[in-house]
Amino acid sequence: MARSGTTKKVTRIQREKTEAILNAALDVFSKHGFRGSTIDMIATNAQLSKPNILYYFDSKETMHAQLLERMLETWLEPLEQMSGDGDPVNEICGYVQRKLEMARDYPRESRLFANEILQGAPHIIDQLSGPLRALTDRKAVVIQRWIDEGKLSPVDPYHLIFSIWSTTQHYADFDVQVQAVLGDAKNLRFEQAQVHLDTMFRALLTRD
Amino acid sequence: MARSGTTKKVTRIQREKTEAILNAALDVFSKHGFRGSTIDMIATNAQLSKPNILYYFDSKETMHAQLLERMLETWLEPLEQMSGDGDPVNEICGYVQRKLEMARDYPRESRLFANEILQGAPHIIDQLSGPLRALTDRKAVVIQRWIDEGKLSPVDPYHLIFSIWSTTQHYADFDVQVQAVLGDAKNLRFEQAQVHLDTMFRALLTRD
DNA sequence: GTCTATACATTGATAGAC
DNA sequence: GTCTATCAATGTATAGAC
């Protein structure tokens, strides 16, 4: 293995190749799921040979695991940014917007995650009931406090968060369907979604 | 083949076995996706031998295609029920409830569909830009008419429908995640979701 | 109609030349 | 570090006995 054992130094070339491979792997895994993807597909996409891929990564699973690990970090980030100090409605709607931007700019990551969850989350179930649950619990407390202080209309914090996740990710995961029904260009679809989701969650949070 | 050619008669036994196989196939396909599923898994689940499965169905694809076809019918049904004559808010919220009940009672079908869409809908892209789009267009006209008549707060009909699809199906497709975060029993989760979604869409449709 | 046995293709991973 | 060749395992589908 190039990146283990005696030599700890990782050259620029090595890092760039690893990145190129991971990028190709993300392409393939997000489109076909783990079992639907073959190392050959990844090799073709990365313009490398199959054994060359396996020189940089021990196995198909290693690539998949690394991609999932990365994705989970960026996945949790937008929610962590939601601050308990700002204006409640703006904080939540800001989170919605960031999440929608992620669906627009990183649809592959969203689909990789969706594929994993659909299969029962075999590789990340621990992260779901660990870090993800902990983060959600923390933010649910903040939202509940806002409600108790009369700054938000009463709403179940957890299901509010689920609604934010589902509506925003829908534009990445079900993009084919959205496009089949709407037909519009991608940028236009996301501008419409932006307005719509802001309207919806604002209505929910500020009803009388 | 048992069900083609000279004999057109389909016995009760044959029909029951075909049903049992399709039921097992739905179990497996919805959990592992098309390529992640093997005929062996389906055979084990149906308590039959692999060749016996292939006696009733030409191929793995045939089973998958039949399941998708069935699912699409039931998928379109709840939206078709939404009548242009009733009370607008109740009609839409009734649709939300029916869709949520489907996610609760037929999660396998929902996941089968989600898997197919995630992979780019290779087998049903025509149904999406055909029947599904046509139905959505019809209902969007109804919703727009309600808005023009002042019976609903202004909202983009298409993105309203997307929000209904995404929030309800989320409880089937992302069930593992919902359970990891909430931990509650399934029935409780769906009761909470029912209240939450009714509140949310009612707020959106009746804001001032 | 249902089974065992097997043909044939795909695929993950390794060996060894260069 | 990268390639060709190949192994072993898995999986779809068929042949043929019963």
Side-chain angles (χ1 to χ4, degrees):
Chain A
M1 284 247 4
R3 293 162 55 255
S4 69
T6 50
T7 64
K8 289 209 170 175
K9 198 169 143 199
V10 177
T11 70
R12 185 179 56 86
I13 302 261
Q14 282 172 335
R15 209 176 48 244
E16 283 178 3
K17 278 228 165 144
T18 332
E19 281 309 311
I21 293 172
L22 280 178
N23 184 59
L26 180 55
D27 254 17
V28 175
F29 281 138
S30 66
K31 194 166 183 176
H32 302 98
F34 180 73
R35 292 208 49 174
S37 305
T38 70
I39 302 184
D40 250 339
M41 292 183 196
I42 298 173
T44 304
N45 190 303
Q47 289 182 307
L48 291 170
S49 68
K50 185 160 62 165
N52 204 354
I53 299 276
L54 288 164
Y55 170 76
Y56 286 98
F57 290 90
D58 279 347
S59 69
K60 188 179 160 185
E61 287 229 5
T62 309
M63 283 185 276
H64 192 244
Q66 282 202 22
L67 285 173
L68 274 180
E69 197 182 337
R70 280 186 189 204
M71 185 268 311
L72 272 173
E73 290 173 25
T74 55
W75 162 266
L76 298 177
E77 206 186 273
L79 183 51
E80 260 159 3
Q81 281 182 34
M82 194 179 79
S83 157
D85 303 328
D87 171 69
V89 176
N90 285 340
E91 284 295 325
I92 292 175
C93 287
Y95 173 49
V96 172
Q97 293 306 319
R98 286 195 299 277
K99 203 84 183 48
L100 185 60
E101 280 162 18
M102 281 192 51
R104 181 192 61 197
D105 299 335
Y106 304 99
R108 298 181 305 174
E109 283 82 350
S110 186
R111 290 196 195 105
L112 181 76
F113 184 74
N115 261 308
E116 172 70 10
I117 300 285
L118 263 181
Q119 324 286 315
H123 302 100
I124 57 168
I125 185 66
D126 290 344
Q127 329 264 26
L128 297 188
S129 33
L132 177 66
R133 176 168 183 163
L135 175 62
T136 316
D137 282 344
R138 278 205 309 281
K139 297 303 178 181
V141 168
V142 172
I143 295 173
Q144 189 57 54
R145 202 198 65 214
W146 282 334
I147 295 172
D148 295 339
E149 294 172 353
K151 294 175 178 169
L152 284 183
S153 306
V155 62
D156 186 312
Y158 291 98
H159 291 270
L160 167 63
I161 293 173
F162 293 154
S163 291
I164 294 174
W165 290 347
S166 58
T167 50
T168 53
Q169 289 167 208
H170 187 80
Y171 290 97
D173 304 341
F174 285 68
D175 181 59
V176 180
Q177 191 187 22
V178 171
Q179 199 176 351
V181 169
L182 274 188
D184 299 326
K186 180 178 172 182
N187 279 342
L188 186 54
R189 295 202 299 272
F190 272 92
E191 281 170 33
Q192 295 168 350
Q194 201 176 328
V195 174
H196 167 72
L197 293 181
D198 190 79
T199 305
M200 183 168 78
F201 287 108
R202 217 167 270 277
L204 171 63
L205 298 172
T206 65
R207 69 195 194 282
D208 315 296
Chain B
M1 286 257 347
R3 293 161 56 255
S4 69
T6 50
T7 63
K8 288 212 170 174
K9 194 168 146 199
V10 176
T11 69
R12 185 180 58 86
I13 301 261
Q14 283 174 334
R15 208 178 47 245
E16 282 177 2
K17 278 227 166 146
T18 330
E19 280 309 311
I21 292 173
L22 280 178
N23 184 59
L26 180 54
D27 253 16
V28 175
F29 282 138
S30 65
K31 195 166 183 177
H32 302 99
F34 180 73
R35 293 210 47 178
S37 306
T38 71
I39 301 184
D40 249 339
M41 293 183 196
I42 299 173
T44 303
N45 190 303
Q47 289 181 307
L48 290 170
S49 68
K50 187 158 61 166
N52 203 353
I53 299 277
L54 287 164
Y55 170 75
Y56 286 98
F57 290 90
D58 280 346
S59 70
K60 188 177 159 185
E61 286 230 6
T62 310
M63 283 185 276
H64 192 244
Q66 282 203 21
L67 285 173
L68 273 180
E69 197 182 336
R70 281 186 188 204
M71 185 268 311
L72 271 172
E73 289 173 25
T74 55
W75 162 267
L76 298 177
E77 206 186 273
L79 183 52
E80 260 159 4
Q81 281 181 32
M82 194 179 78
S83 158
D85 302 329
D87 171 68
V89 176
N90 285 339
E91 284 295 327
I92 292 175
C93 288
Y95 173 49
V96 172
Q97 294 305 320
R98 286 195 300 277
K99 203 82 183 49
L100 186 60
E101 281 162 17
M102 280 192 51
R104 183 192 59 198
D105 299 334
Y106 304 99
R108 298 182 303 174
E109 282 81 351
S110 187
R111 290 197 196 104
L112 182 77
F113 183 75
N115 260 309
E116 172 71 10
I117 300 286
L118 263 181
Q119 324 287 314
H123 303 100
I124 58 168
I125 185 66
D126 290 345
Q127 330 264 26
L128 297 187
S129 31
L132 177 66
R133 176 167 183 163
L135 174 62
T136 316
D137 282 344
R138 279 205 310 282
K139 297 304 178 179
V141 168
V142 172
I143 294 172
Q144 188 58 53
R145 202 198 67 214
W146 282 333
I147 295 171
D148 294 340
E149 292 172 355
K151 293 176 179 169
L152 285 182
S153 307
V155 61
D156 186 313
Y158 290 98
H159 290 270
L160 167 64
I161 292 174
F162 293 153
S163 291
I164 294 174
W165 289 348
S166 58
T167 50
T168 52
Q169 289 166 209
H170 187 79
Y171 290 97
D173 303 342
F174 286 69
D175 181 58
V176 181
Q177 191 186 24
V178 171
Q179 198 176 349
V181 169
L182 275 188
D184 299 326
K186 180 177 172 180
N187 280 341
L188 186 54
R189 295 201 298 273
F190 273 90
E191 281 169 32
Q192 295 167 351
Q194 200 176 330
V195 175
H196 167 74
L197 293 181
D198 190 78
T199 305
M200 183 167 78
F201 287 109
R202 218 167 270 277
L204 171 64
L205 299 172
T206 64
R207 68 193 195 282
D208 316 296

Short mmCIF file of all heavy atoms in Angstrom, two decimals, chain B residues 83-137:
data_model
loop_
_atom_site.label_atom_id
_atom_site.label_comp_id
_atom_site.label_asym_id
_atom_site.label_seq_id
_atom_site.Cartn_x
_atom_site.Cartn_y
_atom_site.Cartn_z
N SER B 83 -60.50 16.01 -5.13
CA SER B 83 -61.57 16.52 -5.98
C SER B 83 -61.59 18.04 -6.04
O SER B 83 -61.33 18.72 -5.04
CB SER B 83 -62.91 16.01 -5.44
OG SER B 83 -63.95 16.85 -5.88
N GLY B 84 -61.90 18.56 -7.19
CA GLY B 84 -61.98 20.00 -7.36
C GLY B 84 -63.26 20.59 -6.79
O GLY B 84 -63.42 21.80 -6.73
N ASP B 85 -64.16 19.73 -6.32
CA ASP B 85 -65.47 20.20 -5.85
C ASP B 85 -65.49 20.51 -4.36
O ASP B 85 -66.19 21.41 -3.92
CB ASP B 85 -66.54 19.14 -6.16
CG ASP B 85 -66.59 18.83 -7.65
OD1 ASP B 85 -66.31 19.76 -8.44
OD2 ASP B 85 -66.89 17.68 -8.00
N GLY B 86 -64.75 19.74 -3.56
CA GLY B 86 -64.81 19.89 -2.11
C GLY B 86 -64.17 21.17 -1.61
O GLY B 86 -63.80 22.05 -2.39
N ASP B 87 -64.06 21.24 -0.29
CA ASP B 87 -63.39 22.39 0.33
C ASP B 87 -61.90 22.30 0.07
O ASP B 87 -61.27 21.28 0.40
CB ASP B 87 -63.66 22.39 1.83
CG ASP B 87 -62.82 23.43 2.55
OD1 ASP B 87 -63.06 24.63 2.33
OD2 ASP B 87 -61.89 23.03 3.29
N PRO B 88 -61.30 23.34 -0.50
CA PRO B 88 -59.89 23.31 -0.92
C PRO B 88 -58.93 22.83 0.16
O PRO B 88 -58.17 21.89 -0.06
CB PRO B 88 -59.61 24.76 -1.31
CG PRO B 88 -60.92 25.28 -1.75
CD PRO B 88 -61.94 24.61 -0.88
N VAL B 89 -58.96 23.47 1.33
CA VAL B 89 -58.02 23.12 2.38
C VAL B 89 -58.22 21.67 2.83
O VAL B 89 -57.25 20.92 3.00
CB VAL B 89 -58.15 24.07 3.59
CG1 VAL B 89 -57.22 23.63 4.71
CG2 VAL B 89 -57.83 25.50 3.16
N ASN B 90 -59.46 21.28 2.99
CA ASN B 90 -59.73 19.90 3.40
C ASN B 90 -59.32 18.89 2.34
O ASN B 90 -58.84 17.80 2.65
CB ASN B 90 -61.21 19.72 3.74
CG ASN B 90 -61.55 20.35 5.08
OD1 ASN B 90 -60.67 20.57 5.91
ND2 ASN B 90 -62.82 20.66 5.28
N GLU B 91 -59.53 19.23 1.07
CA GLU B 91 -59.14 18.33 -0.01
C GLU B 91 -57.63 18.10 0.01
O GLU B 91 -57.16 16.97 -0.11
CB GLU B 91 -59.56 18.91 -1.36
CG GLU B 91 -61.05 18.77 -1.67
CD GLU B 91 -61.47 17.30 -1.81
OE1 GLU B 91 -60.66 16.50 -2.28
OE2 GLU B 91 -62.62 16.98 -1.42
N ILE B 92 -56.88 19.17 0.16
CA ILE B 92 -55.41 19.06 0.14
C ILE B 92 -54.90 18.34 1.39
O ILE B 92 -54.07 17.44 1.32
CB ILE B 92 -54.76 20.45 -0.03
CG1 ILE B 92 -55.08 21.00 -1.42
CG2 ILE B 92 -53.26 20.37 0.19
CD1 ILE B 92 -54.59 22.41 -1.66
N CYS B 93 -55.45 18.74 2.54
CA CYS B 93 -55.01 18.07 3.78
C CYS B 93 -55.45 16.61 3.81
O CYS B 93 -54.76 15.76 4.38
CB CYS B 93 -55.55 18.81 5.00
SG CYS B 93 -54.71 20.39 5.27
N GLY B 94 -56.58 16.33 3.20
CA GLY B 94 -57.01 14.93 3.08
C GLY B 94 -56.02 14.14 2.23
O GLY B 94 -55.70 12.98 2.55
N TYR B 95 -55.56 14.75 1.18
CA TYR B 95 -54.55 14.10 0.34
C TYR B 95 -53.28 13.84 1.15
O TYR B 95 -52.68 12.76 1.05
CB TYR B 95 -54.24 14.98 -0.88
CG TYR B 95 -53.10 14.49 -1.71
CD1 TYR B 95 -53.02 13.16 -2.12
CD2 TYR B 95 -52.08 15.35 -2.12
CE1 TYR B 95 -51.96 12.70 -2.88
CE2 TYR B 95 -51.02 14.89 -2.88
CZ TYR B 95 -50.96 13.57 -3.25
OH TYR B 95 -49.91 13.12 -4.00
N VAL B 96 -52.86 14.80 1.94
CA VAL B 96 -51.68 14.62 2.79
C VAL B 96 -51.87 13.41 3.71
O VAL B 96 -50.97 12.58 3.85
CB VAL B 96 -51.42 15.89 3.63
CG1 VAL B 96 -50.32 15.64 4.65
CG2 VAL B 96 -51.04 17.07 2.74
N GLN B 97 -53.04 13.31 4.31
CA GLN B 97 -53.29 12.20 5.23
C GLN B 97 -53.26 10.86 4.50
O GLN B 97 -52.68 9.89 4.99
CB GLN B 97 -54.62 12.38 5.95
CG GLN B 97 -54.66 13.59 6.88
CD GLN B 97 -53.54 13.58 7.92
OE1 GLN B 97 -53.20 12.54 8.47
NE2 GLN B 97 -52.94 14.74 8.18
N ARG B 98 -53.90 10.79 3.35
CA ARG B 98 -53.90 9.53 2.59
C ARG B 98 -52.48 9.14 2.19
O ARG B 98 -52.10 7.97 2.26
CB ARG B 98 -54.76 9.67 1.33
CG ARG B 98 -56.25 9.68 1.60
CD ARG B 98 -57.06 9.46 0.32
NE ARG B 98 -56.82 10.49 -0.70
CZ ARG B 98 -57.43 11.67 -0.73
NH1 ARG B 98 -58.29 12.00 0.21
NH2 ARG B 98 -57.18 12.52 -1.69
N LYS B 99 -51.71 10.13 1.80
CA LYS B 99 -50.33 9.85 1.39
C LYS B 99 -49.51 9.37 2.60
O LYS B 99 -48.65 8.48 2.46
CB LYS B 99 -49.71 11.14 0.83
CG LYS B 99 -48.57 10.94 -0.11
CD LYS B 99 -49.02 10.62 -1.51
CE LYS B 99 -47.83 10.36 -2.42
NZ LYS B 99 -46.87 9.43 -1.87
N LEU B 100 -49.74 9.94 3.73
CA LEU B 100 -49.01 9.53 4.93
C LEU B 100 -49.41 8.12 5.35
O LEU B 100 -48.57 7.32 5.79
CB LEU B 100 -49.27 10.52 6.08
CG LEU B 100 -48.45 10.30 7.35
CD1 LEU B 100 -46.96 10.39 7.08
CD2 LEU B 100 -48.86 11.29 8.44
N GLU B 101 -50.70 7.82 5.20
CA GLU B 101 -51.15 6.46 5.51
C GLU B 101 -50.49 5.44 4.59
O GLU B 101 -50.13 4.34 5.01
CB GLU B 101 -52.68 6.37 5.38
CG GLU B 101 -53.42 6.94 6.57
CD GLU B 101 -54.87 7.26 6.26
OE1 GLU B 101 -55.40 6.74 5.25
OE2 GLU B 101 -55.48 8.04 7.03
N MET B 102 -50.31 5.83 3.34
CA MET B 102 -49.63 4.92 2.41
C MET B 102 -48.18 4.69 2.84
O MET B 102 -47.66 3.57 2.74
CB MET B 102 -49.66 5.49 1.00
CG MET B 102 -50.98 5.27 0.29
SD MET B 102 -50.85 5.64 -1.48
CE MET B 102 -49.43 4.70 -1.95
N ALA B 103 -47.53 5.76 3.30
CA ALA B 103 -46.15 5.61 3.76
C ALA B 103 -46.10 4.68 4.97
O ALA B 103 -45.14 3.92 5.14
CB ALA B 103 -45.56 6.97 4.12
N ARG B 104 -47.13 4.74 5.80
CA ARG B 104 -47.18 3.89 6.99
C ARG B 104 -47.50 2.44 6.62
O ARG B 104 -46.86 1.52 7.13
CB ARG B 104 -48.25 4.42 7.96
CG ARG B 104 -48.33 3.65 9.26
CD ARG B 104 -49.59 4.02 10.03
NE ARG B 104 -50.80 3.75 9.25
CZ ARG B 104 -52.00 4.27 9.50
NH1 ARG B 104 -52.14 5.11 10.49
NH2 ARG B 104 -53.04 3.95 8.75
N ASP B 105 -48.48 2.26 5.72
CA ASP B 105 -48.97 0.91 5.45
C ASP B 105 -48.23 0.21 4.31
O ASP B 105 -48.23 -1.01 4.22
CB ASP B 105 -50.46 0.95 5.12
CG ASP B 105 -51.27 1.51 6.29
OD1 ASP B 105 -50.79 1.40 7.44
OD2 ASP B 105 -52.35 2.07 6.05
N TYR B 106 -47.61 0.99 3.42
CA TYR B 106 -46.89 0.39 2.29
C TYR B 106 -45.49 0.96 2.15
O TYR B 106 -45.14 1.50 1.09
CB TYR B 106 -47.68 0.59 1.00
CG TYR B 106 -49.08 0.04 1.06
CD1 TYR B 106 -50.17 0.88 1.30
CD2 TYR B 106 -49.31 -1.32 0.91
CE1 TYR B 106 -51.46 0.38 1.38
CE2 TYR B 106 -50.60 -1.83 0.99
CZ TYR B 106 -51.67 -0.97 1.21
OH TYR B 106 -52.94 -1.48 1.29
N PRO B 107 -44.68 0.85 3.20
CA PRO B 107 -43.34 1.43 3.12
C PRO B 107 -42.46 0.75 2.08
O PRO B 107 -41.59 1.39 1.49
CB PRO B 107 -42.79 1.22 4.54
CG PRO B 107 -43.57 0.09 5.10
CD PRO B 107 -44.94 0.20 4.49
N ARG B 108 -42.70 -0.54 1.85
CA ARG B 108 -41.88 -1.25 0.86
C ARG B 108 -42.09 -0.66 -0.54
O ARG B 108 -41.13 -0.45 -1.28
CB ARG B 108 -42.23 -2.74 0.85
CG ARG B 108 -41.97 -3.44 2.17
CD ARG B 108 -42.30 -4.92 2.07
NE ARG B 108 -43.69 -5.15 1.65
CZ ARG B 108 -44.19 -6.34 1.39
NH1 ARG B 108 -43.42 -7.43 1.50
NH2 ARG B 108 -45.44 -6.48 1.03
N GLU B 109 -43.33 -0.40 -0.88
CA GLU B 109 -43.61 0.18 -2.19
C GLU B 109 -42.95 1.56 -2.32
O GLU B 109 -42.39 1.90 -3.37
CB GLU B 109 -45.13 0.32 -2.40
CG GLU B 109 -45.84 -0.96 -2.78
CD GLU B 109 -46.15 -1.85 -1.58
OE1 GLU B 109 -45.67 -1.56 -0.47
OE2 GLU B 109 -46.88 -2.85 -1.76
N SER B 110 -43.01 2.32 -1.24
CA SER B 110 -42.40 3.65 -1.27
C SER B 110 -40.89 3.56 -1.50
O SER B 110 -40.32 4.32 -2.28
CB SER B 110 -42.68 4.37 0.05
OG SER B 110 -42.24 5.71 -0.01
N ARG B 111 -40.26 2.61 -0.85
CA ARG B 111 -38.81 2.45 -0.99
C ARG B 111 -38.43 1.90 -2.36
O ARG B 111 -37.41 2.28 -2.93
CB ARG B 111 -38.27 1.52 0.10
CG ARG B 111 -38.32 2.14 1.46
CD ARG B 111 -37.43 1.42 2.44
NE ARG B 111 -37.80 1.79 3.80
CZ ARG B 111 -38.48 1.03 4.63
NH1 ARG B 111 -38.85 -0.19 4.26
NH2 ARG B 111 -38.78 1.46 5.83
N LEU B 112 -39.27 1.01 -2.88
CA LEU B 112 -39.03 0.51 -4.24
C LEU B 112 -39.01 1.67 -5.23
O LEU B 112 -38.12 1.77 -6.08
CB LEU B 112 -40.14 -0.48 -4.62
CG LEU B 112 -40.00 -1.13 -6.00
CD1 LEU B 112 -38.95 -2.23 -5.96
CD2 LEU B 112 -41.33 -1.72 -6.47
N PHE B 113 -39.98 2.56 -5.06
CA PHE B 113 -40.06 3.74 -5.92
C PHE B 113 -38.86 4.65 -5.71
O PHE B 113 -38.24 5.11 -6.68
CB PHE B 113 -41.37 4.48 -5.65
CG PHE B 113 -41.60 5.66 -6.53
CD1 PHE B 113 -41.97 5.48 -7.85
CD2 PHE B 113 -41.45 6.94 -6.05
CE1 PHE B 113 -42.18 6.57 -8.68
CE2 PHE B 113 -41.66 8.03 -6.87
CZ PHE B 113 -42.03 7.85 -8.19
N ALA B 114 -38.52 4.90 -4.45
CA ALA B 114 -37.39 5.79 -4.15
C ALA B 114 -36.11 5.24 -4.75
O ALA B 114 -35.31 5.98 -5.34
CB ALA B 114 -37.25 5.95 -2.64
N ASN B 115 -35.89 3.96 -4.62
CA ASN B 115 -34.70 3.33 -5.21
C ASN B 115 -34.66 3.58 -6.71
O ASN B 115 -33.62 3.96 -7.26
CB ASN B 115 -34.72 1.82 -4.94
CG ASN B 115 -33.84 1.42 -3.77
OD1 ASN B 115 -32.67 1.79 -3.72
ND2 ASN B 115 -34.39 0.68 -2.83
N GLU B 116 -35.79 3.38 -7.36
CA GLU B 116 -35.85 3.54 -8.81
C GLU B 116 -35.56 4.98 -9.22
O GLU B 116 -34.80 5.21 -10.18
CB GLU B 116 -37.23 3.10 -9.31
CG GLU B 116 -37.51 3.37 -10.77
CD GLU B 116 -36.70 2.48 -11.70
OE1 GLU B 116 -36.07 1.53 -11.23
OE2 GLU B 116 -36.72 2.76 -12.92
N ILE B 117 -36.13 5.93 -8.51
CA ILE B 117 -35.90 7.34 -8.85
C ILE B 117 -34.44 7.72 -8.62
O ILE B 117 -33.82 8.42 -9.43
CB ILE B 117 -36.81 8.25 -8.01
CG1 ILE B 117 -38.27 7.94 -8.26
CG2 ILE B 117 -36.53 9.73 -8.32
CD1 ILE B 117 -38.79 8.42 -9.57
N LEU B 118 -33.89 7.26 -7.49
CA LEU B 118 -32.50 7.59 -7.16
C LEU B 118 -31.54 7.15 -8.26
O LEU B 118 -30.55 7.80 -8.54
CB LEU B 118 -32.12 6.91 -5.85
CG LEU B 118 -32.21 7.75 -4.58
CD1 LEU B 118 -31.77 6.93 -3.39
CD2 LEU B 118 -31.37 9.00 -4.69
N GLN B 119 -31.83 5.99 -8.85
CA GLN B 119 -30.96 5.47 -9.92
C GLN B 119 -31.24 6.17 -11.25
O GLN B 119 -30.71 5.77 -12.28
CB GLN B 119 -31.14 3.96 -10.10
CG GLN B 119 -31.38 3.17 -8.84
CD GLN B 119 -30.15 3.01 -7.99
OE1 GLN B 119 -29.09 2.70 -8.47
NE2 GLN B 119 -30.28 3.23 -6.67
N GLY B 120 -32.09 7.18 -11.24
CA GLY B 120 -32.38 7.90 -12.46
C GLY B 120 -33.62 7.41 -13.18
O GLY B 120 -33.85 7.74 -14.34
N ALA B 121 -34.43 6.58 -12.49
CA ALA B 121 -35.72 6.11 -13.02
C ALA B 121 -35.60 5.40 -14.37
O ALA B 121 -36.43 5.62 -15.25
CB ALA B 121 -36.71 7.26 -13.11
N PRO B 122 -34.59 4.56 -14.57
CA PRO B 122 -34.37 3.95 -15.89
C PRO B 122 -35.57 3.19 -16.43
O PRO B 122 -35.80 3.20 -17.63
CB PRO B 122 -33.19 3.00 -15.64
CG PRO B 122 -33.17 2.76 -14.17
CD PRO B 122 -33.64 4.04 -13.56
N HIS B 123 -36.37 2.56 -15.54
CA HIS B 123 -37.47 1.73 -16.02
C HIS B 123 -38.80 2.47 -16.12
O HIS B 123 -39.74 1.98 -16.74
CB HIS B 123 -37.66 0.52 -15.10
CG HIS B 123 -36.43 -0.33 -14.95
ND1 HIS B 123 -35.60 -0.24 -13.86
CD2 HIS B 123 -35.88 -1.27 -15.76
CE1 HIS B 123 -34.60 -1.11 -14.00
NE2 HIS B 123 -34.73 -1.73 -15.15
N ILE B 124 -38.91 3.64 -15.47
CA ILE B 124 -40.23 4.30 -15.43
C ILE B 124 -40.17 5.76 -15.84
O ILE B 124 -41.10 6.51 -15.57
CB ILE B 124 -40.84 4.20 -14.01
CG1 ILE B 124 -39.91 4.82 -12.98
CG2 ILE B 124 -41.18 2.77 -13.66
CD1 ILE B 124 -40.57 5.02 -11.63
N ILE B 125 -39.08 6.14 -16.49
CA ILE B 125 -38.97 7.56 -16.87
C ILE B 125 -40.13 7.98 -17.77
O ILE B 125 -40.63 9.11 -17.68
CB ILE B 125 -37.60 7.83 -17.56
CG1 ILE B 125 -37.42 9.32 -17.84
CG2 ILE B 125 -37.44 6.99 -18.81
CD1 ILE B 125 -37.32 10.17 -16.61
N ASP B 126 -40.61 7.05 -18.60
CA ASP B 126 -41.73 7.38 -19.50
C ASP B 126 -43.02 7.63 -18.73
O ASP B 126 -43.81 8.51 -19.09
CB ASP B 126 -41.94 6.24 -20.50
CG ASP B 126 -40.82 6.16 -21.52
OD1 ASP B 126 -40.05 7.14 -21.61
OD2 ASP B 126 -40.71 5.13 -22.21
N GLN B 127 -43.23 6.86 -17.66
CA GLN B 127 -44.44 7.06 -16.85
C GLN B 127 -44.38 8.38 -16.10
O GLN B 127 -45.42 8.96 -15.77
CB GLN B 127 -44.58 5.93 -15.82
CG GLN B 127 -44.00 4.61 -16.28
CD GLN B 127 -45.05 3.72 -16.89
OE1 GLN B 127 -46.06 4.23 -17.40
NE2 GLN B 127 -44.82 2.43 -16.84
N LEU B 128 -43.17 8.82 -15.79
CA LEU B 128 -43.04 10.08 -15.06
C LEU B 128 -43.38 11.26 -15.95
O LEU B 128 -44.17 12.13 -15.59
CB LEU B 128 -41.60 10.24 -14.52
CG LEU B 128 -41.12 9.21 -13.50
CD1 LEU B 128 -39.77 9.61 -12.94
CD2 LEU B 128 -42.13 9.03 -12.38
N SER B 129 -42.79 11.29 -17.14
CA SER B 129 -43.06 12.43 -18.03
C SER B 129 -44.37 12.24 -18.79
O SER B 129 -44.80 13.17 -19.48
CB SER B 129 -41.89 12.64 -19.00
OG SER B 129 -41.25 11.44 -19.31
N GLY B 130 -45.00 11.05 -18.66
CA GLY B 130 -46.30 10.81 -19.28
C GLY B 130 -47.42 10.98 -18.25
O GLY B 130 -47.78 12.11 -17.89
N PRO B 131 -47.97 9.85 -17.77
CA PRO B 131 -49.13 9.87 -16.87
C PRO B 131 -48.93 10.73 -15.61
O PRO B 131 -49.82 11.49 -15.24
CB PRO B 131 -49.28 8.39 -16.48
CG PRO B 131 -48.65 7.64 -17.58
CD PRO B 131 -47.54 8.49 -18.11
N LEU B 132 -47.75 10.60 -14.97
CA LEU B 132 -47.56 11.36 -13.73
C LEU B 132 -47.59 12.86 -13.98
O LEU B 132 -48.25 13.61 -13.27
CB LEU B 132 -46.22 10.97 -13.07
CG LEU B 132 -45.89 11.77 -11.81
CD1 LEU B 132 -46.88 11.46 -10.69
CD2 LEU B 132 -44.47 11.52 -11.35
N ARG B 133 -46.88 13.27 -15.01
CA ARG B 133 -46.88 14.70 -15.34
C ARG B 133 -48.28 15.19 -15.71
O ARG B 133 -48.70 16.26 -15.28
CB ARG B 133 -45.92 14.96 -16.51
CG ARG B 133 -45.94 16.39 -16.94
CD ARG B 133 -44.82 16.79 -17.85
NE ARG B 133 -44.95 18.22 -18.11
CZ ARG B 133 -43.99 18.99 -18.58
NH1 ARG B 133 -42.82 18.46 -18.84
NH2 ARG B 133 -44.18 20.27 -18.78
N ALA B 134 -49.00 14.39 -16.48
CA ALA B 134 -50.35 14.79 -16.89
C ALA B 134 -51.25 14.95 -15.68
O ALA B 134 -51.99 15.95 -15.57
CB ALA B 134 -50.92 13.73 -17.85
N LEU B 135 -51.17 13.99 -14.76
CA LEU B 135 -52.01 14.07 -13.56
C LEU B 135 -51.64 15.29 -12.72
O LEU B 135 -52.52 16.02 -12.24
CB LEU B 135 -51.83 12.79 -12.73
CG LEU B 135 -52.52 12.76 -11.37
CD1 LEU B 135 -54.03 12.87 -11.53
CD2 LEU B 135 -52.15 11.49 -10.60
N THR B 136 -50.34 15.51 -12.56
CA THR B 136 -49.89 16.66 -11.76
C THR B 136 -50.35 17.97 -12.40
O THR B 136 -50.81 18.88 -11.70
CB THR B 136 -48.36 16.65 -11.65
OG1 THR B 136 -47.91 15.33 -11.36
CG2 THR B 136 -47.90 17.58 -10.54
N ASP B 137 -50.26 18.04 -13.72
CA ASP B 137 -50.71 19.24 -14.42
C ASP B 137 -52.19 19.49 -14.14
O ASP B 137 -52.59 20.63 -13.84
CB ASP B 137 -50.49 19.08 -15.93
CG ASP B 137 -49.03 19.30 -16.32
OD1 ASP B 137 -48.28 19.87 -15.50
OD2 ASP B 137 -48.65 18.91 -17.44
#
